[in-house]
Amino acid sequence: MAHFPKPAAGSWTQNWPELGTAPVNYEDSINPEHFKVEQQAIFKKTWLNVGRVERLPKKGSYFTREMPSAGPGTSVIIVKDKQEVVRAFYNMCRHRGNKLVWNDYPGEEVSGTCRQFTCKYHAWRYSLEGDLTFVQQEGEFFDLDKGDYGLVPVRCEVWEGFIFINFDNGAAPLTEYLGDFAKGLEGYPFHEMTEHYSYRSEINANWKLFIDAFVEFYHAPILHMKQAEKEEAEKLAKFGFEALAYDIKGIHSMVSSWGGMSPPKDLSMVKPIERILHSGLFGPWDRPDIEGIQPDELPPAINPGRHKSWGTDSFEFFPNFTLLFWAPGWYLTYHYWPTAVDKHIFEADLYFVPPKNLRERLSQELAAVTFKEYAFQDANTLEATQTQIGTRVVTDFPLCDQEILLRHLHKTAWDYVNAYKNNDNGSTNGKHDAKASQDEAEKDAAHV
Amino acid sequence: MSKLPEEFADLERFSDWCLPTEEERYSKRLNSTMAEMQELYDAGMARLEDIMVYVDARVPLKGMPKDAKALVHLGQSIVMVSFPVEVWKQPRVLDSGASYIQLIKEPVV
Ligand code: FES
Ligand SMILES: [Fe+2]
């Protein structure tokens, strides 16, 4: 029986008929050739979030990002220039192609502050704006115009303090790409939440499988059962999970959920440490003292139904940026960076309002520790899934109504792949039959 | 020489848990027995409220004296062992196999 009302179409899934209700084929998560196309069609065509502006506190602050998802070796410098504009460049010297910014190990990301970039090889220098400003023994070169040898720029735009890059120079502007969900999130006090915990993991599973795990909470009462007190866990498992609402706007999606645990109705529902520290998976129960996080102050996209029992919203910005808000006033981001069909780097970042005292600090500590315990379980389950779907013993899997966003994710990724194959430059405007193209891809794959 | 403020002399025997970073605390967790962690948990949980009251009445989070800092780090270790003790009944996350998640940035007290 549904505890929360569903759309008039009868189910969330049928509310978006293009998603269908048939079992979903997972060839897109196990086929290495398909992954190569995804790299071109998705990770070189879409806006990718590479971090927040707080990482660039002043003029000359920079950090590098390794972007193997867009192709082996791809590396980008993100820098705040003299006018305080955030820019991105390929991390490559124009002289003979040496990697420009790195320390010790060329494959590792670095950050810092500088006045200019100097190549380690022959000392060519570039301004923060990317202009070539100095050539060692310039007179030895032939008709070299420094104006022709600036760093190669990468599209870079900022939304609400989130820095995005795009390897496609023809891509539409960022805010247009992010669309209505992003518009509806503007004004959330991201800039107040600078107490930052960052996690990283190498996962032996396709990048979409981890998103699958985070856009459905159908698994939560089961996989994470042990984390709740026994009696509570049994209740949760019996009740199962139902979202308050799902929404899809173009290529992006969101799920809105209840969350009665912060604070819990009954203290016996939670573990002893949670009782002392007033915190847990859902975050510190006591809201920090800032504007913009009270239920009636939230921007319209968060808790869109204005439900009293609202607890968390998770926005999935295609392809690989999850933005998750908890009612008590903190947020997380997840990123999934594929490096092979069955491997990706998972990044998670937790952002809190800086604590004023130890009580608040330990309360955040418990939320962070709890996050990691849960993520461990999620991560290991993925490897177990990847190895099995890779056998192709079963190829199509039934997805329930609470797994609607998985359908949407896989379909969106297919749309990009198909559009790319149809050679219309990665635009996803054209409607096409995903199933037909899927068969085609399988045929292609068979020829490899 | 004692690491902790004298008010917490009863916890001094756990002073090798006064570790500033999560990496150190997590690895101590993985290398401890359940009996060791249970002992810290039992003694620590009874004093966790006192730790917060003591620190918050005396010092700000930034620029703490050494002994208060050690006390905070012990508090963080009590949080760290709570999952093995309260939930998993073993040092590792249950069913976590070969997966590893690394904390790469944290606000260190
Ligand atoms: S490769 Fe950079 S200066 Fe020669
Ligand atoms: Fe989970």
Side-chain angles (χ1 to χ4, degrees), chain A residues 93-98 119-124 126:
Chain A
C93 178
R94 290 295 305 271
H95 172 224
R96 257 165 55 212
N98 187 30
C119 181
K120 294 180 196 289
Y121 210 165
H122 315 94
W124 282 31
Y126 302 86

Side-chain angles (χ1 to χ4, degrees), chain A residues 119-294:
Chain A
C119 181
K120 294 180 196 289
Y121 210 165
H122 315 94
W124 282 31
R125 291 206 291 261
Y126 302 86
S127 70
L128 302 177
E129 290 72 30
D131 302 318
L132 176 61
T133 55
F134 172 81
V135 171
Q136 172 80 359
Q137 290 173 260
E138 191 173 347
E140 298 279 346
F141 282 87
F142 306 94
D143 307 318
L144 182 94
D145 180 349
K146 292 209 283 295
D148 293 338
Y149 290 92
L151 296 177
V152 181
V154 177
R155 293 277 302 279
C156 180
E157 292 176 22
V158 177
W159 168 78
E160 294 291 284
F162 292 96
I163 304 165
F164 287 77
I165 61 171
N166 195 320
F167 295 108
D168 180 4
N169 289 327
L174 174 65
T175 48
E176 195 178 305
Y177 176 85
L178 294 177
D180 287 346
F181 283 137
K183 185 125 214 54
L185 290 173
E186 284 172 11
Y188 188 81
F190 295 110
H191 62 285
E192 302 259 25
M193 300 176 184
T194 53
E195 185 85 346
H196 180 192
Y197 296 73
S198 189
Y199 301 81
R200 186 181 189 280
S201 179
E202 283 168 35
I203 309 276
N204 291 323
N206 185 267
W207 62 283
K208 295 184 293 307
L209 293 195
F210 214 162
I211 306 181
D212 283 355
F214 279 123
V215 294
E216 59 91 351
F217 299 108
Y218 174 53
H219 77 274
I222 309 302
L223 179 65
H224 305 306
M225 189 175 211
K226 285 240 165 51
Q227 281 94 319
E229 288 293 272
K230 190 167 177 293
E231 215 176 296
E232 184 58 21
E234 278 163 12
K235 242 194 290 170
L236 287 172
K238 193 160 165 233
F239 186 89
F241 173 81
E242 280 176 38
L244 293 174
Y246 295 94
D247 199 4
I248 291 170
K249 292 192 194 299
I251 59 175
H252 312 301
S253 67
M254 70 90 70
V255 48
S256 186
S257 304
W258 49 268
M261 300 279 261
S262 49
K265 277 190 223 63
D266 176 356
L267 282 178
S268 72
M269 286 162 63
V270 302
K271 300 186 284 101
I273 188 104
E274 300 182 3
R275 274 172 239 158
I276 298 176
L277 294 180
H278 285 203
S279 180
L281 179 66
F282 297 5
W285 306 343
D286 307 313
R287 284 198 173 89
D289 187 17
I290 60 161
E291 269 172 44
I293 54 170
Q294 296 300 325

Side-chain angles (χ1 to χ4, degrees), chain A residues 195 197-201 226-227 271-273 276 357-359 361 365 370 372-373 375-376 380, chain B residues 22 25-26 29 45 49 56 76 83 86-88 93 95-97 99-105 107:
Chain A
E195 185 85 346
Y197 296 73
S198 189
Y199 301 81
R200 186 181 189 280
S201 179
K226 285 240 165 51
Q227 281 94 319
K271 300 186 284 101
I273 188 104
I276 298 176
N357 51 40
L358 181 61
R359 190 174 296 276
R361 178 64 181 72
E365 178 90 11
T370 305
K372 181 168 163 174
E373 306 284 320
F376 253 113
N380 206 44
Chain B
E22 193 261 5
R25 293 188 295 272
Y26 208 93
R29 155 184 170 175
M45 287 290 280
E49 182 64 32
D56 288 339
Q76 291 176 289
F83 261 88
E86 291 179 349
V87 180
W88 309 123
V93 176
D95 290 338
S96 68
S99 57
Y100 199 75
I101 294 169
Q102 200 191 349
L103 185 143
I104 54 173
K105 184 178 184 297

Side-chain angles (χ1 to χ4, degrees), chain A residues 24-96:
Chain A
V24 169
N25 180 281
Y26 267 69
E27 185 67 19
D28 68 350
S29 303
I30 55 177
N31 184 329
E33 294 307 313
H34 184 87
F35 171 66
K36 283 186 198 153
V37 184
E38 279 188 342
Q39 279 194 300
Q40 300 301 318
I42 298 173
F43 289 89
K44 290 184 95 161
K45 293 273 181 203
T46 54
W47 284 100
L48 304 170
N49 175 244
V50 291
R52 280 202 51 86
V53 290
E54 285 81 16
R55 288 198 68 189
L56 303 174
K58 52 185 184 218
K59 292 172 193 171
S61 296
Y62 68 87
F63 59 87
T64 65
R65 289 302 310 254
E66 296 302 302
M67 303 292 283
S69 303
T74 309
S75 177
V76 177
I77 308 168
I78 319 285
V79 62
K80 186 179 254 185
D81 76 9
K82 290 210 183 71
Q83 266 63 55
E84 312 225 341
V85 174
V86 179
R87 294 174 183 263
F89 303 101
Y90 287 97
N91 190 2
M92 184 189 200
C93 178
R94 290 295 305 271
H95 172 224
R96 257 165 55 212

Side-chain angles (χ1 to χ4, degrees), chain B residues 49-95:
Chain B
E49 182 64 32
D50 301 337
I51 291 175
M52 292 190 286
V53 169
Y54 175 89
V55 170
D56 288 339
R58 280 169 186 76
V59 286
L61 267 183
K62 297 223 162 72
M64 264 186 206
K66 242 177 148 185
D67 61 345
K69 233 183 217 186
L71 189 60
V72 171
H73 297 153
L74 184 63
Q76 291 176 289
S77 281
I78 297 166
V79 176
M80 175 57 71
V81 301
S82 72
F83 261 88
V85 171
E86 291 179 349
V87 180
W88 309 123
K89 318 292 176 207
Q90 61 177 41
R92 287 173 61 88
V93 176
L94 196 69
D95 290 338

